Amino acid sequence: MTTLVNRPLPAGVVAPAGRRRPLLTATVLLAVLLAGVVGSVGIGSSAADPLSSLAGLARLDDATILTIANVRLPRTVLGIAVGAALAVAGSLMQSLTRNPLASPQTFGVTAGASVAMVATIVYTPWTSTLGAFPALLGGVLGGVLVWSLASRGSLGLAALALAGMSVHLLLTALVQGMAVLNDASVDIVFWLAGSISGAQWNDVTLATPLIGLGVATAAVMGRQLSILALGPETATTFGQNYGLVSALVGALVVLLAGAAVAVSGPIGFVGLIVPHLIRLAAGHQERWSIPLCALSGATMVTTADVLGRVLFFPSEFPAGIVTALVGTPLFLVLVRRSRRTS
C-alpha cells in the first residue's frame, strides 16, 4: 500500500533536488505570507484598504493606530502562530502514526478543547475572564485520554487511531448535545467554525510561547521524526528509543494543537493537507520539513482569514470555513495524483 508518509533517504545520500526546492518553496511561502500580513493588518470591517491604513499610520491618526494595534495586529500574529502550530502538529501526527490521513483531530485534542469551551459558554458564562484557558486544558486532557487508552500494554498504531476516533466521536456528540439543549447555540456554532476574528493580546500571550516551544522542539527532531516514520523495528535498528520518541512526539502534538485550538477553535484541513503540500513542493528532506510546514501553515491560515474578510465584505467568513472550502478539493487532487504516481 503506497502512502504519502515521508520516507527519508539513507544516511549519506544527498537528495537530487539539493537545497534548491526547499529554498524556492520557502521564498514563495514568505512572499505569500508577507502579502497576507499586509492584507490582514490593512483590511478589516471598515472600508479602509491597506493603503488607507498606511496613510492613517503616517498621519499618526489615533483611530487607525488603535485599530491596528488592538484589533488587527493581534489577529495577524495569532493567525501566524495558529497556522504554524496546526501544520506542525499534523506533520508530527502523520510521522507518529505512519498514516497520511492523520491530523490533530485523530488525537482527540480538537474535540477535547471543543467540549471544554462549549461547556464554558453554556454552563459557566461568568468565567469568560478565563479566555481560552478552558479550551487549552480540555485539549490537553483529550490528548492524554487518547494516549492512555492506546498505550495500555503497548502503543500500536491501530490502537492509537481507534482510541483517537472513538474519543473524538464521543466528545463531538457531547458538543452537539450541549448545542441542541441550550440557547447559546449561536456562540457555539461560531466557535466551532474556527476563527481568529476575536483575537486579543491575551490570546497571543497564552498561545504563542507554547507554540514557539513546540515548533522549536519539533524542528530540531527532524532526523528522529524521519526514523520514527519507518516503524518501531527499523527505529530500534537505528538505535532510537522508539517509545520515548513516540511519547515526546505525542506530547508535542497535544501542546501545539491544544494551544492553537484553544485560541481559534477547530480550524480544519491545515494539519491534514500542509504536510502533503510540503512533501510535494520541497521533497523528502528532514531538516526542512518542520520549518516549511510551520511557514506553510502560517501562510494558509493568514491568507484564509484575509479571504474571509474580502470575499464577503462587510461580513466575515471564519477562517476555518475558508480552509475547508479550499482544502477539500485540493486534498482530493493530491490523493488522485498520489494514485497516478503509485
Side-chain angles (χ1 to χ4, degrees), residues 221-242:
M221 293 181 62
R223 182 166 180 79
Q224 287 86 349
L225 293 173
S226 295
I227 296 175
L228 182 72
L230 297 177
E233 294 82 7
T234 306
T236 303
T237 302
F238 276 98
Q240 184 179 94
N241 187 331
Y242 182 80

Side-chain angles (χ1 to χ4, degrees), residues 307-335:
L307 288 176
R309 299 183 227 177
V310 172
L311 297 179
F312 303 96
F313 184 83
S315 300
E316 290 189 10
F317 236 39
I321 296 179
V322 177
T323 58
L325 291 175
V326 175
T328 301
L330 186 57
F331 186 71
L332 292 176
V333 170
L334 289 176
V335 171

Side-chain angles (χ1 to χ4, degrees), residues 193-208:
S195 175
I196 54 174
S197 61
Q200 300 178 355
W201 284 116
N202 289 338
D203 299 323
V204 175
T205 303
L206 172 67
T208 51

Side-chain angles (χ1 to χ4, degrees), residues 98-118:
R98 287 179 283 154
N99 183 352
L101 299 179
S103 69
Q105 287 148 330
T106 311
F107 224 160
V109 177
T110 300
S114 299
V115 167
M117 197 65 184
V118 169

Side-chain angles (χ1 to χ4, degrees), residues 155-181:
L155 180 65
L157 300 181
L160 181 61
L162 288 174
M165 290 310 300
S166 298
V167 170
H168 177 78
L169 292 173
L170 173 62
L171 297 182
T172 300
L174 291 177
V175 170
Q176 293 172 343
M178 286 187 283
V180 169
L181 297 176

Side-chain angles (χ1 to χ4, degrees), residues 52-245:
S52 300
S53 298
L54 290 175
L57 287 175
R59 297 193 306 270
L60 299 179
D61 180 71
D62 291 340
T64 302
I65 293 174
L66 287 175
T67 298
I68 291 177
N70 297 326
V71 178
R72 297 181 186 174
L73 195 56
R75 182 172 182 173
T76 303
V77 174
L78 200 65
I80 293 172
V82 165
L86 292 175
V88 172
S91 180
L92 293 175
M93 198 65 194
Q94 290 176 16
S95 294
L96 176 63
T97 62
R98 287 179 283 154
N99 183 352
L101 299 179
S103 69
Q105 287 148 330
T106 311
F107 224 160
V109 177
T110 300
S114 299
V115 167
M117 197 65 184
V118 169
T120 300
I121 293 172
V122 171
Y123 299 114
T124 59
W126 60 86
T127 61
S128 58
T129 54
L130 295 176
F133 183 76
L136 176 60
L137 179 61
V140 171
L141 292 178
V144 170
L145 175 60
V146 169
W147 186 268
S148 63
L149 291 174
S151 58
R152 289 183 180 275
S154 61
L155 180 65
L157 300 181
L160 181 61
L162 288 174
M165 290 310 300
S166 298
V167 170
H168 177 78
L169 292 173
L170 173 62
L171 297 182
T172 300
L174 291 177
V175 170
Q176 293 172 343
M178 286 187 283
V180 169
L181 297 176
N182 294 276
D183 296 330
S185 58
V186 174
D187 293 334
I188 292 173
V189 170
F190 183 80
W191 191 85
L192 291 177
S195 175
I196 54 174
S197 61
Q200 300 178 355
W201 284 116
N202 289 338
D203 299 323
V204 175
T205 303
L206 172 67
T208 51
L210 299 177
I211 292 172
L213 175 63
V215 172
T217 304
V220 299
M221 293 181 62
R223 182 166 180 79
Q224 287 86 349
L225 293 173
S226 295
I227 296 175
L228 182 72
L230 297 177
E233 294 82 7
T234 306
T236 303
T237 302
F238 276 98
Q240 184 179 94
N241 187 331
Y242 182 80
L244 179 61
V245 175

